């Protein structure tokens, strides 16, 4: 089922209206939505228990301070919610949520997964600079303001959702599309203005957006690949890294409660440091940052969804999200997998495939 909803309203107002209907018809008991922090120009996800606070929500704010997938994990990991929670996610957040379902960090029982088309986001500082009493919208920014990972993102529409809120190809209002039976059941209770029999305008708008991003990604990632093409270059790339691990803390698919790189494995006694310094003459400190980054690439390269939360959290502006996008694109292509596409996809690191890496000289067992 697909149709136009609230044609006379802008996407933000139409989405608020849609959530008000969901609450009004008792189809949901709470909703996790981007909302303005009281008195501030910051947008964070908030769990609303009634439709009365919908005026403070900004479903299409072009900023993402953190991945809502992690907040959904907090709500569902230890026990399923008692009643239906609707959660509004961007495509990269939905793909991260899918990976977390596969890793048993999210349960989708009693969750209504609603996604929205995403034209991209800007850094929180860029968003706040333009904010006053009214908050800026996507139209207030130029293409160059967007985060580079967004300009490369191949998913303007989320691959997994119960219901998607479409804006590409919409002329006023939003396009509601049921993607699962659960979503179709819900939409039966919502009055669509017009069922969409011909989706060619939306398909064309999505294709145009994807083509633009693919062209940017091909050029940009090829340049980045040259920039990190040797060990020396990679060391230079991470030269400013202070090993603070912010990039890991904000990564939605880096989920271990205790990270190996924070464990006692990396605690050494003084004489070891003296020994290393004597061997190398100069022991650069901190000394584990390359190991940390290479380890993280190894651990999550196959689950990386290219959201760029790592890069946004980096205090030294290291292009870590762009690098992880490059590495994960290559790794996922080699194994013919795509992170975040289906909750039933097997976890690559937990799956044995007999014919893996034959192209690299591995022989069949
Ligand atoms: S990475 Fe993609 S889905 Fe995520 S904010 Fe950027 S454009 Fe949107
Ligand atoms: S490594 Fe970076 S880009 Fe990849 S999922 Fe984690 S935060 Fe997102
Ligand atoms: S956030 Fe930046 S400085 Fe901190 S560990 Fe990651 S790359 Fe290094």
């Amino acid at each position: 089922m697909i149709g136009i909803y609230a044609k006379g309203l802008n996407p933000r107002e139409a989405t608020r209206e849609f959530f008000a209907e969901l609450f009004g018809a008792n189809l949901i008991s709470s909703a996790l939505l981007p909302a303005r922090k009281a008195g501030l120009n910051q947008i964070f996800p908030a769990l609303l228990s009634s439709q009365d606070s919908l005026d403070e929500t900004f479903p299409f704010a072009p900023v993402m301070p953190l991945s809502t997938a992690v907040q959904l994990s907090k709500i569902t990991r230890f026990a399923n919610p008692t009643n239906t929670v609707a959660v509004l996610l961007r495509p990269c957040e939905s793909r991260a949520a899918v990976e977390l379902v596969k890793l048993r960090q999210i349960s989708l029982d009693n969750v209504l997964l609603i996604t929205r088309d995403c034209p991209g986001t800007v850094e929180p500082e860029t968003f706040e600079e333009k904010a006053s009493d009214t908050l800026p919208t996507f139209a207030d920014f130029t293409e160059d303001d967007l985060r580079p990972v967004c300009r490369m993102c191949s998913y303007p529409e989320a691959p997994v959702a119960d219901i998607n809120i479409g804006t590409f190809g919409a002329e006023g209002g939003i396009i509601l599309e049921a993607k699962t039976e659960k979503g179709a059941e819900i939409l039966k209770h919502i009055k669509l203005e017009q069922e969409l029999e011909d989706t060619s305008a939306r398909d064309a708008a999505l294709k145009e957006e994807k083509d633009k991003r693919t062209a940017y990604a091909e050029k940009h990632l090829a340049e980045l690949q040259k920039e990190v093409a040797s060990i020396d270059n990679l060391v230079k790339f991470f030269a400013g890294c202070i090993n603070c691990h912010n990039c890991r803390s904000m990564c939605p698919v880096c989920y271990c409660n205790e990270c190996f790189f924070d464990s006692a494995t990396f605690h050494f006694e003084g004489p070891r440091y003296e020994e290393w310094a004597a061997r190398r003459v100069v022991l650069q400190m901190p000394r584990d940052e390359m190991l940390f980054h290479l380890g993280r690439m190894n651990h999550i390269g196959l689950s990386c969804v290219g959201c760029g939360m790592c890069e946004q959290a980096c205090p030294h502006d290291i292009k870590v999200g762009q690098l992880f996008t490059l590495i994960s694109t290559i790794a996922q292509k080699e194994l013919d997998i795509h992170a975040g596409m289906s909750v039933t996809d097997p976890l690559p690191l937990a799956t044995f495939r007999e014919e893996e890496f034959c192209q690299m000289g591995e022989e069949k067992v």
Side-chain angles (χ1 to χ4, degrees), residues 70 244-252 254 262 292 296 310 313:
V70 179
C244 63
H245 296 186
N246 278 5
C247 46
R248 182 216 53 208
S249 302
M250 294 312 292
C251 174
C254 239
D262 289 335
F292 165 67
R296 224 169 76 75
C310 47

Side-chain angles (χ1 to χ4, degrees), residues 62-64 89-95 116-122 146-158 209 213 305-309 312:
V63 67
M64 180 168 64
L89 300 179
R90 290 183 174 79
C92 62
E93 293 173 314
S94 154
R95 292 177 60 229
R116 42 150 287 196
D117 287 355
C118 184
T121 55
V122 299
L146 296 181
R147 299 180 308 136
V149 287
C150 291
R151 298 183 70 183
M152 296 190 258
C153 168
S154 330
Y155 297 91
E157 180 190 21
E209 183 70 14
R213 296 186 192 182
V305 294
C307 63
M309 288 297 95
Q312 198 167 280

Side-chain angles (χ1 to χ4, degrees), residues 238 240-247 292-293 310 313-316 318 320:
F238 281 114
C241 176
I242 54 170
N243 213 13
C244 63
H245 296 186
N246 278 5
C247 46
F292 165 67
H293 291 296
C310 47
C314 178
H316 278 221
I318 294 169
V320 65

